[in-house]
Amino acid sequence: MITSLIAQKLTCVRGERRIFADLDFRVSAGEALVVEGANGAGKTSLLRLIAGFLTPVSGSLVLDTDKGAIADGEERGRHIGWLGHHDAVKPQLDVGEQLEFFARLYGAGGDVKPVLERVGIARQRELPCRYLSAGQKKRLGLARLLMSGRGLWLLDEPFAALDTAGRALAADLMRTHCASGGMVIAATHDPLGLEARSLRLEAA
Amino acid sequence: MSGPFISLVMRDLKLASRSGGSAALALAFFALVATLVPLGVGANLNLLARIAGGVLWVGAVLAALLSLDRLYQGDFDDGSLDLIALSPLSLEQVALAKLLAHWFSTGLPLTLLSPLLALLFGLPGPGTWALFVSLLIGTPAVSAVGAIGASLTLSLKRGGLILPLIILPLLAPAVIFGAGAVTAALDHLSNGALGLLSAFAAAAVLLSPFAAAACVRLNLAG
Amino acid sequence: MFRYANPAVFMRLSGALLPWISGAAAILLAMGLWMGFRVPPDYQQGMTVTIMFVHVPAAIVAEVAYGAIAVASLFSLVWRHPLADTAARAAAPLGAVFTALGLVTGSLWGRPMWGAYWVWDARLTSFLLLLFLYLGYMALWNAIEDETRAARAAAILALVGAVNLPIIKFSVDWWNTLHQGESIVSGQIARVFMWPLAFMAFGYMALFAALWMVRIRTEIVNRRARSLIQRAG
């Protein structure tokens, strides 16, 4: 179980460009944080930094869990459910295969059927992913989040490509996740549809 | 840990075998090279038998090279690599899994096809056997060195052009020892080529996951 | 050690050293050439042996330069020092040129010796492969736009190449004996040839060191100019 994520004086530089500097924030279990900011303000960079893909040039980022604090980026990654802005869907695999592979890769047991039903693509289980619409691929991404069993969800534009029902579904999943002690950090321009704190990134 | 590892190997194999996967294309390329060479140098079977080891080894390396983009590029472009990086596997384990899958879907089929192509070159029995064994031992090294190149050039739009320039010189020892084993078999000599090839392959397979993981880390930051 | 890796300190230090190293290179090369043209003809090779004085040092510097790149890359990867990246990048074209020089002089030597401009001599073959290693390394640097990432990737490649280079050389030697190739230098080098060769070798080294410094200094100054322009704009 994760208890909190604390960032202190976080500074991110990419190439010779300073993306953001001296960023402080804190998210506790059960909370959602919306990362806002104009294009290029560094929303995706912040998410990739929390996921451990990027290393901050200075500052600290600590994930507290019931088994102790984690400062290492790759170790932190083991607690993260990721929904990036690429769909991460292979056209050659069918929906079921895709989700089953992911479950096994993450060492998460359990049947994929209820998860596919939850996100509303159970009927497409046998369908090769090349025939999925962009919104359906996003739903598959949401299914992966549920399947991962990870505590900290990092979502980059979670509502992009989703229809009204899909948006409601995504908001509902986030609400449920927070209610069960999870943590959500989402970069989005849209209202999240649930109670959330906000972090505004200003372009440096 | 074995569950996630095997699932990744199996998925990569599945992707390679489905339509759009390049496993079959690499085999066709290999066969085509073996067909074009006699057309270029003439049909003298004595000459062809002499050069068979070298030609087929070079052909196998080039064929394996064609399918290297499958190793990381697809997963990088569609964001799958992010998800794989967050799995319980370390990036070194990921690199090893991908290396294994690449060998099973490219190096192994090329090796299995080689006796048939050796027939076209009139390679005698011992030479064919040496070619088969040397490819079996040496193609993992090709996948291993190739994996380093593929992970280095991940973020490049023109990566496909630079990749051969980077890895072909590094693969010279594999070609030398591999073709050398065939020559030795033809001349009924023993020159230790297979031993040297094994050592090269072992070192390449052991070191490659570390180098490839470092490159993947670098590209995930991008 | 790290004190000298600071760009400002490096500029001062190299600025003071550069005239001396350049002067040493000029004197050593002039001496070496003068002595080289005065050696008696070799009993086997005649006057063509003098090509050795421009060939062998080029070959040595070609390898030293790759070693320098590998060491700088190690520094860059382990200690993340930007000057190490600059140094590694600056050495590559020099190494490539010395390798090419080694290949050209080698084949000029080969013409009277073997009657052909190119024979698959073990040393020439490994230098040809070394040239490709250099070209790949430079191509990778140029292809990646983000400079920090390019530096890191190139450093990894340089280290992989450095591990592989001895294996390549060994395999080429092995291959050469298998196919009964020829070798340029057989037997002991006569004493009269040693001195000019030594002068030329040190002269080449000094020349490489001087050019390397100039290239690093240029890059540092370039970088400063860039950041000044960015700040002004």
Side-chain angles (χ1 to χ4, degrees), chain C residues 64-78:
Chain C
V64 167
Y66 202 89
I69 292 175
V71 172
S73 301
L74 192 65
F75 267 79
S76 146
L77 281 180
V78 179

Side-chain angles (χ1 to χ4, degrees), chain B residues 148 152-153 155-156 158 162 165-166 169-170 172-173 176-177 180-181 183 191-193 196 200 207 211 214-215 218-219 222, chain C residues 129 132-133 135-136 139-140 142-145 149 152-154 156-157 160-161 163-164 167-168 170-172 174-175 178-179:
Chain B
I148 299 177
L152 266 176
T153 53
S155 64
L156 299 181
R158 299 170 293 139
I162 290 184
L165 184 59
I166 289 176
L170 299 174
I176 288 175
F177 296 139
T183 312
N191 57 11
L196 293 168
F200 180 73
L207 294 178
C215 302
L218 188 62
N219 282 302
Chain C
L129 288 170
F132 287 127
L133 283 184
L135 293 181
L140 188 64
N142 290 331
I144 304 179
E145 275 160 33
R149 206 184 324 164
R152 212 76 74 66
I156 294 172
L157 179 62
V160 170
V163 170
N164 212 324
I167 306 176
I168 293 177
F170 169 78
S171 67
V172 169
W174 181 91
W175 162 81
L178 186 74
H179 295 269

Side-chain angles (χ1 to χ4, degrees), chain B residues 31-91:
Chain B
L32 208 54
V33 169
T35 312
L36 279 180
V37 168
L39 295 181
V41 303
N44 179 343
L45 272 184
N46 286 328
L47 172 68
L48 288 177
R50 281 311 299 179
I51 63 171
V55 168
L56 293 178
W57 248 96
V58 170
V61 167
L62 293 180
L65 198 70
L66 279 185
S67 55
L68 281 176
D69 61 328
R70 193 180 66 223
L71 212 50
Y72 289 103
Q73 196 69 54
D75 283 342
F76 181 72
D77 289 343
D78 71 9
S80 299
L81 202 54
D82 291 340
L83 287 167
I84 293 171
L86 293 172
S87 76
L89 298 174
S90 69
L91 283 175

Side-chain angles (χ1 to χ4, degrees), chain A residues 15 21 36 40 46 58 61 78 86 138-139 145 166 168 172 176 189:
Chain A
E36 296 168 321
L46 177 61
S58 66
L61 188 61
R78 310 288 176 254
H86 290 298
K138 199 80 181 192
R139 285 167 186 257
L145 276 178
D172 193 40
T176 320
H189 297 286

